[in-house]
Amino acid sequence: MLKTRKQIFIEQSREKFSDVEHRRKINHSLLQSDIAFRKGIPQFSDLQLAKKTANHIKRTTIENLDTYLLQFEKQFTQNGGKVIWAATANEALDAVGRICKEVNARLVVKSKSMVTEEIHLNPFLSSKGIEVVETDLGEYIQQLAGEPPYHLVAPSMHKSKEEVADLFHEKLGAPEGLAPEALTQFARKILREKYVQADIGITGVNFLLADIGGVALTENEGNGRLSTSFPKVHIAVTGIEKILPSVRDLALFWPLLATHGSGQQITVYNSIFTGPRKAGEKDGPERMYVILLDNGRTRLLADPKARESLYCIRCGACLNVCPVFRNIGGHTYNSTYGGPVGSVITPHIKGMKEYGHLSQASSLCGACTEVCPVGIPLHQLLLHNRQLAVKHAARTEKFAWKLWAMACSHRRVLNLAGGHTKNRVATLLFANAWGKNRKLPGFAPESFNQLWKKQR
Amino acid sequence: MHVELFIPCFVDQLFPQTAFNMVQILERAGCEVSYNTQQTCCGQPAYNAGFMEECAVVAGKFIKEFSGENYVVVPGGSCTGFVRNYYSKMFEGTDLEKQVTMKTPLFYEFTSFLTEILGIEDTGATLVGKAVYHDACGALRECGIKAAPRILLNKVRGLELIETEDAERCCGFGGTFSVKYEPVSMAMGEQKVLNAIKAGAQYIISTDLSCLMHLDGYIRHHQLLIQTLHIADVLVS
């Protein structure tokens, strides 16, 4: 019988539980991001106010999403760019495919973009005989390894420097045992060639700017700039939720994203693209496209509660603080977006029945909600998803909760049996699920309730 | 001062002695303690599983069992946080709205009640050894309790409190999560216990028995030299 996604999730979680080396690498990596984050925070004189303001801006933007998207389209078109609306992943892929055909593209360079992971752009282009090269170093490592990114902003955080050196040796013929600096130089040399040969540069988008019809891109390696300056065509692919009303909003959102994403005060390279090269300008692409992707986002928009997840700026901070992510790692989710925000949006985007378990696989500790720079109540949205998923619950579970409600409605039911009997029942019911690694707690011979009645 | 008790269902069934220790401390502090013996559960387990109807039945019964304008003291932050933060939304526009609005802000987790309402920082307790304090998620994030247990524990004679990097990290219990996703829950619990041992602690102390029974299950199974203690059990000694 075919395994369900939930069964696969639990199996892979169990594998990670016993993988001591994985635990060591993730703990090390997350400790570094925590140290950086704590150093970055003092740049805000009032972080809570900054977060509240950001929440307010995203709330009003998402509540008026149609207006801002149309304003963006109008401005960007006036700037000489072309906006393409894609309702589904396939529509977005078709659009990219058409552009590639028009310019007879053989080589595409890409800067880091989760949305192109979401639509599986790389395998699509490869199937058309087009070479795709990831230019963000972490993404380049993942591409060489044939793995999807492990984390929204740190795609190869689960690989040690030794593993990367082995990978470069095996796949690229680099000398054995190179140090991180030498590995970076090695990759740079290869990638520089690719930028100048590429026909098309494809990027993601950090923020769409409605008032100026611009695309803001944030990165640390300069690869985003190179990917957009050399090729004759620039395609930016983005989810429709990435919009901000004004270029002025970046004064708040740039530092918020930088600090929560990587602990920096501001990311190294921040570019704003407002369209293709104009007459008299020296550089920039001849054509620029922005693909606005829905792919299930309007389903989130239609749900007044789940809608709040569209405020997300993909900083990855909720993954960094999530104890579940820390223990199962980024790949066990088997979805493009991992961690708390992924567990909130994936069941809506890809189906509650198949992916609802992601919303269940949380201790609801609330660390994600606490850290979120735009104030998304992530753990409450997980609860919201659980309420929506009740209709898919197994009959036995539904029956168990009915029984529970009945027992809790009558105090005398809880006092019926003694501790000894309760222990036997609990062992029967829970010994297996509670697991082989824990001993069950024991019922007291008499409950507090019974003892109180006797003594008082 | 007259206070009412809310003894969470699993404390009632599994750890009555801890609840009595809390009562003893409250009475020593001059409180007159009452307990409605019809009480069962606040409804949180069903709420967290998404079963709203079942939750509303149990929570509706629960809130009616408290009366007057007395404080309600609870040995744990999880149930306290649930009643304080989730009831108002759940009963919005119902007959119970008024009772909920009046009563739920009076629910206090035990240590925050001691320090904030009674102004007690020293219960006169003694416990010799080193301990880590585990910030239970419900206490920390739903009730905002960070200082209260530390203030009280710092006054315990013979006790050295060690702060660890993971004090605020979830232990992995999470209610039904602990059985539905046992390997994840267990991995989280294991790291919590091993970090405490590494820090040189003999005790893991917390406001919430749910976290502690999960950690204790791991400790007993592996026969480790560390012990879990509810803060009421420490403060009564």
Side-chain angles (χ1 to χ4, degrees):
Chain A
M1 208 176 90
L2 225 60
K3 284 179 188 150
T4 65
R5 288 184 182 276
K6 181 181 168 181
Q7 286 168 327
I8 294 169
F9 177 91
I10 292 175
E11 253 173 43
Q12 294 183 351
S13 303
R14 201 177 296 284
E15 282 164 29
K16 286 287 182 287
F17 177 21
S18 50
D19 187 345
V20 181
E21 180 57 12
H22 177 263
R23 183 184 284 186
R24 187 195 64 76
K25 285 185 291 189
I26 299 310
N27 276 338
H28 171 77
S29 208
L30 291 178
L31 180 62
Q32 301 315 308
S33 35
D34 186 52
I35 292 168
F37 177 62
R38 282 168 202 269
K39 270 192 197 158
I41 284 301
Q43 77 162 321
F44 297 95
S45 54
D46 186 344
L47 179 65
Q48 293 314 318
L49 181 63
K51 285 160 75 156
K52 256 190 194 162
T53 311
N55 177 274
H56 175 75
I57 293 170
K58 283 307 284 193
R59 183 180 302 269
T60 44
T61 313
I62 295 296
E63 293 295 327
N64 299 284
L65 189 58
D66 52 343
T67 312
Y68 287 113
L69 285 173
L70 290 173
Q71 188 190 359
F72 169 81
E73 181 185 37
K74 192 174 161 216
Q75 290 299 325
F76 186 68
T77 309
Q78 271 176 18
N79 299 343
K82 189 166 181 340
V83 170
I84 298 165
W85 299 80
T88 60
N90 277 335
E91 284 187 29
L93 292 174
D94 285 346
V96 176
R98 272 197 306 276
I99 299 165
C100 288
K101 208 165 175 190
E102 275 168 36
V103 298
N104 197 22
R106 312 296 334 145
L107 173 64
V108 168
V109 283
K110 275 185 67 204
S111 80
K112 189 173 162 24
S113 147
M114 287 308 291
V115 77
T116 56
E117 290 291 330
E118 176 186 334
I119 62 174
H120 303 294
L121 180 62
N122 291 9
F124 170 80
L125 290 174
S126 301
S127 75
K128 305 266 174 207
I130 299 165
E131 185 189 353
V132 199
V133 181
E134 293 287 349
T135 63
D136 172 272
L137 186 55
E139 290 287 355
Y140 185 59
I141 292 167
Q142 290 309 95
Q143 190 179 26
L144 288 177
E147 291 173 14
Y150 185 90
H151 178 288
L152 294 183
V153 294
S156 57
M157 67 173 282
H158 61 307
K159 291 198 188 300
S160 66
K161 49 187 189 288
E162 291 79 17
E163 285 171 299
V164 177
D166 288 348
L167 188 68
F168 273 45
H169 173 64
E170 185 197 326
K171 301 280 181 179
L172 302 170
E176 274 183 82
L178 289 184
E181 295 77 10
L183 289 167
T184 309
Q185 287 304 327
F186 196 89
R188 173 187 283 217
K189 211 170 159 201
I190 296 172
L191 293 175
R192 293 272 151 145
E193 292 291 317
K194 299 292 181 187
Y195 295 121
V196 291
Q197 293 163 2
D199 307 292
I200 298 178
I202 298 182
T203 69
V205 170
N206 291 101
F207 304 104
L208 287 168
L209 308 170
D211 61 344
I212 63 164
V215 166
L217 194 67
T218 282
E219 36 126 6
N220 272 318
E221 298 170 20
N223 63 308
R225 288 193 178 177
L226 290 165
S227 300
T228 50
S229 339
F230 286 105
K232 289 187 172 144
V233 180
H234 173 196
I235 306 173
V237 190
T238 179
I240 48 176
E241 79 283 8
K242 289 288 184 79
I243 195 146
L244 287 174
S246 169
V247 65
R248 287 190 302 273
D249 296 321
L250 292 173
L252 174 62
F253 281 87
W254 266 344
L256 266 184
L257 175 60
T259 303
H260 287 79
S262 52
Q264 291 165 288
Q265 298 202 325
I266 195 81
T267 317
V268 178
Y269 298 96
N270 292 286
S271 312
I272 298 173
F273 306 101
T274 52
R277 182 196 307 185
K278 294 198 177 82
E281 285 182 349
K282 280 187 190 156
D283 52 14
E286 289 168 13
R287 296 197 227 170
M288 181 174 170
Y289 301 88
V290 171
I291 299 179
L292 298 175
L293 179 73
D294 177 351
N295 205 31
R297 287 163 176 77
T298 44
R299 277 203 292 282
L300 285 163
L301 189 66
D303 180 329
K305 188 78 191 141
R307 185 180 297 167
E308 293 181 78
S309 63
L310 292 172
Y311 306 168
C312 179
I313 57 173
R314 304 280 187 264
C315 68
C318 62
L319 282 75
N320 297 343
V321 299
C322 178
V324 174
F325 175 82
R326 176 183 293 267
N327 280 290
I328 69 171
H331 288 150
T332 307
Y333 294 91
N334 286 302
S335 65
T336 305
Y337 303 101
V341 70
S343 298
V344 167
I345 64 174
T346 308
H348 289 268
I349 289 177
K350 298 179 87 169
M352 193 60 75
K353 210 170 169 187
E354 268 194 277
Y355 288 87
H357 65 279
L358 293 179
S359 305
Q360 308 281 347
S362 162
S363 62
L364 300 172
C365 78
C368 46
T369 301
E370 188 178 51
V371 80
C372 179
V374 292
I376 304 172
L378 286 153
H379 75 295
Q380 291 178 15
L381 296 185
L382 290 173
L383 277 166
H384 175 67
N385 285 357
R386 291 182 186 188
Q387 289 167 23
L388 297 175
V390 161
K391 61 173 183 278
H392 302 300
R395 278 175 134 182
T396 46
E397 190 181 2
K398 287 182 185 167
F399 180 69
W401 285 113
K402 288 252 178 300
L403 216 61
W404 170 86
M406 199 204 72
C408 289
S409 300
H410 305 281
R411 178 67 231 192
R412 62 185 166 76
V413 176
L414 298 187
N415 290 353
L416 271 180
H420 185 63
T421 313
K422 284 174 186 164
N423 277 327
R424 284 175 56 186
V425 175
T427 308
L428 209 68
L429 286 175
F430 295 116
N432 229 356
W434 186 249
K436 293 188 176 74
N437 287 295
R438 272 179 300 211
K439 283 206 189 305
L440 275 170
F443 278 85
E446 286 179 293
S447 67
F448 175 85
N449 193 281
Q450 289 163 311
L451 292 168
W452 178 276
K453 280 187 203 161
K454 269 190 192 168
Q455 294 174 14
R456 305 266 167 159
Chain B
M1 185 189 298
H2 188 113
V3 299
E4 292 176 76
L5 293 180
F6 162 35
I7 306 301
C9 50
F10 67 99
V11 178
D12 172 58
Q13 296 289 324
L14 305 170
F15 308 103
Q17 191 51 49
T18 300
F20 277 110
N21 286 342
M22 180 182 88
V23 172
Q24 197 182 324
I25 296 166
L26 290 170
E27 286 180 339
R28 262 195 241 153
C31 293
E32 189 194 323
V33 180
S34 69
Y35 169 65
N36 183 338
T37 54
Q38 288 307 308
Q39 198 175 97
T40 56
C41 171
C42 64
Q44 185 178 201
Y47 189 91
N48 284 358
F51 285 79
M52 294 298 285
E53 279 175 41
E54 288 77 2
C55 174
V57 170
V58 174
K61 169 187 179 308
F62 176 82
I63 197 66
K64 281 184 257 177
E65 282 153 4
F66 297 90
S67 56
E69 289 178 14
N70 306 315
Y71 287 108
V72 179
V73 187
V74 191
S78 177
C79 308
T80 309
F82 179 64
V83 172
R84 287 180 76 129
N85 302 339
Y86 292 80
Y87 267 40
S88 57
K89 187 92 193 152
M90 199 163 32
F91 292 105
E92 209 174 15
T94 70
D95 297 347
L96 288 169
E97 188 173 353
K98 214 174 148 197
Q99 162 79 350
V100 164
T101 313
M102 187 276 291
K103 198 70 197 181
T104 55
L106 297 172
F107 276 67
Y108 269 79
E109 182 278 326
F110 168 58
T111 63
S112 61
F113 183 74
L114 282 186
T115 59
E116 288 166 33
I117 306 300
L118 297 181
I120 292 174
E121 299 194 344
D122 187 352
T123 60
T126 303
L127 177 70
V128 179
K130 289 184 184 178
V132 290
Y133 174 74
H134 162 60
D135 282 290
C137 302
L140 178 70
R141 298 194 184 86
E142 295 291 349
C143 305
I145 295 166
K146 181 78 184 170
R150 289 177 170 81
I151 291 170
L152 290 158
L153 290 173
N154 276 321
K155 296 280 196 225
V156 174
R157 283 124 194 102
L159 188 66
E160 185 190 334
L161 207 56
I162 312 165
E163 280 296 334
T164 51
E165 172 261 327
D166 70 341
E168 293 187 3
R169 196 173 301 142
C170 178
C171 70
F173 174 65
T176 51
F177 169 75
S178 65
V179 285
K180 282 185 178 170
Y181 294 89
E182 183 266 337
V184 194
S185 165
M186 221 42 265
M188 287 156 70
E190 178 173 81
Q191 294 219 46
K192 197 86 201 180
V193 172
L194 297 182
N195 287 342
I197 293 174
K198 209 169 132 197
Q202 295 151 271
Y203 307 106
I204 302 175
I205 301 173
S206 187
T207 49
D208 283 63
L209 280 162
S210 45
C211 311
L212 294 177
M213 75 172 180
H214 156 69
L215 297 177
D216 180 55
Y218 177 85
I219 292 168
R220 282 192 294 131
H221 181 80
H222 293 87
Q223 300 180 334
L224 300 172
L225 288 172
I226 191 162
Q227 189 189 342
T228 58
L229 282 173
H230 187 271
I231 194 159
D233 299 335
V234 176
L235 297 180
V236 84
S237 58

